[in-house]
């Protein structure tokens, strides 16, 4: 036996990125734009989608629901009468805390791509791992609720830097929590200068129109790299 | 907590390049901005290699500091910590030049020379 050294120089996430590109090609071929929606658990992703996707005009939307276990979120969206596909990471993916390109690929056959213009992929609630794994999306957006505190951009910069939109949700709770909205927005700009943000309350509906407009405008904007 | 996923991805890359040979050492470059905790990655790696061709392999982590170019004053500096800012003028508008690496750089493999010569002579 002897020891040899082999130079590799390969991105650890290369395999994931390759599959993400394949997903992206399939989405492009079907003319579907894709948004990867991320947040900590309980920030309000599903509640926002329930409100925002209720009326998207002539833009046809589908949702891929990522969760570790169960179909609670997908069930909540059924009243919208849009295609919703549940992806559980507990089934064959080791209960992963995020979606990766291969998991999304495994769900492609279940998504009626020909019948939609926009696919929202609701990632597993987690502010860390989902930021590392591209899934073939055109845009990445995240939800951060004021209940999480105004310091979150500073504590999870990878996620806040990865997204082009930050939806600041639960603003109806501002009077009841210690978070300072100005400080939260300043921290956001510090970590990701120029990032777009929206203020929403999925509960009262305030600002949700802006989120809907942002989603719908993905369909009309030219494809990004 | 993403260290476990990263450890698995490192093992996938190494396994592919090892082509069945035993892996003794994996050298990786981890950029500062990836927010990987080296001890956690070592711990996760030691767990996930069990029962694979990398069982017992050493993981050598090279930390790559974050560096950036300021879009306002043009200075190029190493950036020590978040929030990322220019060390010269204090601006937060910096283009990241280094620190986002997550690379498998090299592998050390165990190779059976006898086996190899037998294969090549047949």
């Amino acid at each position: 036996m002897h020891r040899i050294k082999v130079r590799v120089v390969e991105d650890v996430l290369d395999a994931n990125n390759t599959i993400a590109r394949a997903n992206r090609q399939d989405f492009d071929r079907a003319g579907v734009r894709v948004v990867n929606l991320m947040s900590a658990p309980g920030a309000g992703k599903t509640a926002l989608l329930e409100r925002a996707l209720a009326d998207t005009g002539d833009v046809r939307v589908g949702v891929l629901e990522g969760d570790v276990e169960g179909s609670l979120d997908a069930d909540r969206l059924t009243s919208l009468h849009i295609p919703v596909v549940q992806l559980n990471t507990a089934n064959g993916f080791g209960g992963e805390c995020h979606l990766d390109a291969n998991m999304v690929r495994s769900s492609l056959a279940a998504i009626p791509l020909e019948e939609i213009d926009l696919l929202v992929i609701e990632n597993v609630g987690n502010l860390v791992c989902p930021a590392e794994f591209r899934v073939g999306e055109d845009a990445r957006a995240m939800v951060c609720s004021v209940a999480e505190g105004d310091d979150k951009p500073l504590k999870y910069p990878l996620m806040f830097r990865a997204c082009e939109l930050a939806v600041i949700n639960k603003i109806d709770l501002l009077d009841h929590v210690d978070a300072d909205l100005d400080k939260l927005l300043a921290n956001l700009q510090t970590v990701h200068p120029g990032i777009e943000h929206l203020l929403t309350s999925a509960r009262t509906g305030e600002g949700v129109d802006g989120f809907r407009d942002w989603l719908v405008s993905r369909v009309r904007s030219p494809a990004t790299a | 907590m993403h260290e476990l996923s990263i450890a698995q991805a490192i093992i996938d890359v190494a396994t592919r390049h090892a082509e069945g040979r035993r892996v003794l050492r994996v050298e990786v470059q981890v950029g500062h901005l990836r927010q990987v905790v080296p001890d956690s990655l070592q711990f996760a790696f030691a767990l996930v290699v069990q029962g694979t061709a990398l069982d017992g392999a050493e993981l050598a982590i090279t930390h790559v500091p974050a560096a950036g170019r300021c879009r306002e004053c043009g200075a190029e500096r190493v950036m020590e910590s978040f929030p990322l800012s220019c060390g010269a003028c204090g601006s937060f508008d910096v283009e990241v030049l280094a620190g986002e690496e997550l690379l498998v750089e090299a592998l050390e493999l165990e190779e059976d020379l006898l086996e190899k010569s037998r294969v090549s002579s047949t």
Side-chain angles (χ1 to χ4, degrees), chain A residues 2-4 6 10 132, chain B residues 16-17 34 107-108 111:
Chain A
H2 95 151
R3 207 178 168 107
I4 59 158
V6 180
E10 182 173 317
E132 298 273 13
Chain B
R16 190 154 32 80
H17 285 272
R34 304 308 293 237
L107 300 175
E108 281 185 28
E111 198 160 66

Side-chain angles (χ1 to χ4, degrees), chain A residues 150-157 160 186-188 190-191, chain B residues 35 82-83:
Chain A
D150 49 40
D151 57 354
K152 287 303 161 289
L154 301 181
K155 295 177 81 170
Y156 300 91
F160 285 86
N187 287 340
L188 182 63
T190 298
V191 169
Chain B
Q35 293 192 284
F82 285 102

